[in-house]
């Protein structure tokens, strides 16, 4: 007997609904989103179905489901991730009307039954650490940008002719020049705040640059072949690693392309036979592939040749770009698989 437990995850609570092989509801349980609640959920499942093969289907909401996944995996349980769009389809076809946590959990369980090839949740600390570093760096860049904008307005108030060049407020020489200039101005609240902003911007810049160097070291170790791809720099490689979150969870490069939002979507009618860009998928991963594609178009090489060939065959610029991003998804998938396999096999020897 196979029992699937659909889990609707939230910040404070998790609701689980158990179904059998045909999707018939067997029971439900709501627990707190804490370590004690996770243990309570596991005890409830194992106590009620001790002889069954239990599979936990979790809605793929990483920020609120990560701790639950870790607890279940540490207990040796099988965990699959259900995309929210599949849950919505299962809920709309159910006989029960409305929306609630048990209804959503039931939809998750039935979606997992209907889609047997869903990605399996696995421990991958390397990619998770990269994602944490990438997100932290981007948050600090956003904070620094807001500080720079405020600083510009204060400088304009002090002297309209003092207008630092674009993208110069993260350079040490420019910040040192502003510090010296502010120290020579008559004391005022605007001068004080501007000086504090310059100090904060300098400190943030040092931390951001240190994070970039750390990511460069990690990418050299984790994805050297990805760095060798034309147009893929350190930060783009780190974004790909972070958003891919373990390439082995994708059963094929077509699934990876769909996840990245670069799989072609038919848009044909009558005598018109064409495909359009996808607007779904992981937009961060899509943006990383877009940066590689745009860079390759500017450089001499296979990317530019491929674009010219597609354009000569009648594709528009956007259609050719869509096709190039799809090819890049295949290349990135194969490179990540190549990077993963030898490193995994070499770990026991290195230890």
């Amino acid at each position: 007997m196979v029992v699937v437990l659909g889990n609707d995850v939230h910040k404070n609570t998790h609701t689980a609904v158990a179904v059998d092989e045909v999707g018939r509801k067997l029971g439900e349980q709501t627990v707190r989103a804490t370590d004690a609640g996770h243990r309570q959920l596991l005890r409830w499942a194992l106590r009620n179905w001790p002889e069954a093969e239990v599979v936990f289907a979790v809605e793929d909401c990483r920020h609120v489901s990560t701790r639950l996944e870790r607890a279940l995996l540490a207990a040796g349980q099988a965990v699959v991730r259900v995309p929210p769009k599949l849950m919505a389809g299962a809920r709309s076809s159910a006989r029960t009307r409305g929306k609630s946590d048990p209804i959503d959990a039931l939809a998750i369980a039935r979606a997992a039954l209907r889609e047997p090839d869903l990605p399996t949740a696995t421990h991958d600390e390397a990619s998770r650490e990269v994602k944490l570093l990438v997100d932290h760096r981007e948050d600090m860049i956003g904070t620094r940008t807001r500080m720079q904008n405020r600083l510009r307005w204060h400088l304009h108030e002090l002297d309209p002719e003092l207008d630092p060049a674009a993208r110069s407020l993260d350079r040490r020489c420019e910040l040192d020049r502003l510090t010296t200039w502010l120290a020579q101005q008559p004391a005022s609240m605007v001068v004080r705040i501007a000086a504090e902003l310059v100090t904060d911007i300098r400190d943030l810049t040092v931390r951001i640059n240190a994070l970039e160097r750390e990511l460069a070291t990690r990418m050299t170790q984790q994805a050297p072949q990805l760095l060798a791809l034309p147009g893929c720099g350190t930060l783009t490689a780190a974004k790909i690693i972070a958003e891919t979150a373990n390439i082995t969870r994708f059963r094929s490069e077509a699934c990876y392309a769909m996840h990245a939002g670069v799989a072609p979507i038919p848009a044909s009618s009558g005598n018109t036979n064409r495909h359009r860009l996808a607007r779904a998928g992981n937009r961060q991963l899509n943006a990383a592939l877009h940066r590689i594609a745009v860079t390759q178009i500017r450089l001499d090489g296979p990317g530019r040749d491929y674009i010219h060939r597609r354009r000569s065959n009648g594709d528009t610029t956007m259609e050719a770009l869509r096709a190039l991003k799809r090819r890049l998804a295949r290349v990135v998938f194969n490179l990540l698989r190549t990077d993963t396999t030898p490193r995994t096999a070499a770990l026991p020897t290195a230890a």
Side-chain angles (χ1 to χ4, degrees), residues 25-345:
K25 183 176 178 179
L26 302 177
E28 70 177 67
Q29 178 79 356
T30 299
V31 299
R32 297 290 298 174
T34 61
D35 292 339
H38 300 158
R39 291 192 293 269
Q40 178 186 350
L41 176 62
L42 186 60
R43 287 195 301 269
W44 173 74
L46 298 181
R47 182 177 63 249
N48 284 279
W49 301 281
E51 303 298 330
E53 178 186 349
V54 178
V55 177
F56 289 85
V58 181
E59 184 181 6
D60 196 0
C61 302
R62 302 297 170 82
H63 290 293
V64 291
S65 64
T66 297
R67 297 186 72 254
L68 174 61
E69 288 182 0
R70 288 184 171 182
L72 295 174
L73 290 171
Q77 301 301 308
V79 182
V80 297
R81 292 172 177 152
V82 180
K85 65 178 182 179
L86 294 182
M87 177 193 100
R91 187 175 60 217
S92 63
S93 62
R95 297 175 63 185
T96 305
R97 297 179 62 86
K99 184 184 186 303
S100 66
D101 291 350
I103 292 176
D104 288 346
L106 179 61
I108 293 169
R110 288 174 174 170
L113 282 175
R114 190 177 67 249
E115 302 287 342
D117 295 327
L118 290 174
T120 302
T122 58
H123 283 302
D124 187 2
E125 290 301 322
S127 64
R128 173 170 168 76
E129 289 177 356
V130 170
K131 179 170 176 57
L132 290 173
L133 289 175
V134 169
D135 291 346
H136 184 44
R137 178 183 175 276
E138 291 178 350
D139 288 341
M140 287 197 297
I141 289 177
T143 301
R144 185 180 66 179
T145 300
R146 289 190 291 273
M147 289 181 176
Q148 291 170 339
N149 292 337
R150 291 199 300 272
L151 176 61
R152 286 185 179 276
W153 280 113
H154 291 317
L155 294 177
H156 180 78
E157 180 178 347
L158 293 171
D159 185 357
E161 295 183 353
L162 181 64
D163 186 17
R167 300 182 180 180
S168 66
L169 289 181
D170 55 355
R171 300 174 187 168
R172 182 174 299 179
C173 59
E174 182 68 19
L175 295 175
D176 291 342
R177 185 179 71 86
L178 290 175
T179 299
T180 303
W181 185 85
L182 290 169
Q184 299 171 352
Q185 304 306 307
S188 68
M189 186 58 65
V190 175
V191 171
R192 172 188 168 184
I193 293 176
E196 291 180 355
L197 285 172
V198 170
T199 301
D200 293 340
I201 291 171
R202 181 187 288 107
D203 294 341
L204 275 176
T205 300
V206 171
R207 295 168 59 190
I208 290 169
N209 293 339
L211 277 179
E212 185 171 348
R213 290 191 297 270
E214 181 178 353
L215 287 171
T217 302
R218 286 175 175 265
M219 291 303 97
T220 302
Q221 297 172 352
Q222 295 184 29
Q225 297 189 36
L226 193 59
L227 289 176
L229 178 66
C232 184
T234 296
L235 297 179
T236 300
K239 176 64 75 172
I240 290 174
I241 293 294
E243 298 300 329
T244 297
N246 192 352
I247 193 64
T248 58
R249 68 192 183 99
F250 298 99
R251 65 180 184 272
S252 67
E253 55 92 12
C255 294
Y256 184 68
M258 182 67 71
H259 173 74
V262 296
I265 296 179
S268 303
S269 178
N271 295 328
T272 302
N273 185 11
R274 59 180 293 270
H275 295 80
R276 68 168 176 83
L277 288 168
R279 297 180 178 86
N282 187 315
R283 305 315 297 173
Q284 293 289 321
L285 185 55
N286 188 293
L289 294 175
H290 183 83
R291 286 194 293 271
I292 298 175
V294 171
T295 304
Q296 288 195 358
I297 293 174
R298 295 202 309 264
L299 303 174
D300 289 330
R304 173 182 285 188
D305 296 340
Y306 181 76
I307 287 290
H308 289 334
R309 186 165 63 251
R310 298 285 303 203
R311 291 298 309 277
S312 63
N313 290 335
D315 285 354
T316 64
T317 301
M318 292 304 296
E319 288 173 341
L321 179 61
R322 188 271 309 161
L324 177 59
K325 290 167 66 175
R326 176 62 181 86
R327 285 176 63 92
L328 286 172
R330 180 183 301 115
V331 172
V332 169
F333 176 83
N334 291 327
L335 288 177
L336 290 179
R337 297 279 292 195
T338 303
D339 278 345
T340 300
T341 305
R343 186 172 64 252
T344 304

